[in-house]
Amino acid sequence: MEYGLIGLLVLIADIYAIIKILGSSASTGAKLLWILGILIFPVVGFIVWLLAGPKGSSPHLA
């Protein structure tokens, strides 16, 4: 049962990442590469996207 729950959580995380990727302002090629990475490597792809993908608006210190 616990493996099914873990799989469901991974699926939810991947769907969330793909939705965020599709709504981003990145180029079509970049979106495609991110989505392929997440689909081919669901856990590792999500973690890499989480660390490197989202570009939030952080204040720049001068």
Side-chain angles (χ1 to χ4, degrees):
M1 177 67 181
E2 62 273 354
Y3 292 118
L5 183 60
I6 292 170
L8 182 62
L9 291 175
V10 169
L11 178 64
I12 291 169
D14 288 346
I15 290 172
Y16 169 77
I18 290 171
I19 290 170
K20 296 297 263 184
I21 290 167
L22 290 174
S24 73
S25 62
S27 69
T28 304
K31 288 180 184 182
L32 182 64
L33 288 176
W34 277 116
I35 291 172
L36 282 174
I38 289 173
L39 290 176
I40 294 171
F41 305 106
V43 176
V44 175
F46 175 74
I47 293 170
V48 170
W49 171 80
L50 195 61
L51 295 173
K55 303 290 188 242
S57 57
S58 60
H60 296 284
L61 298 175

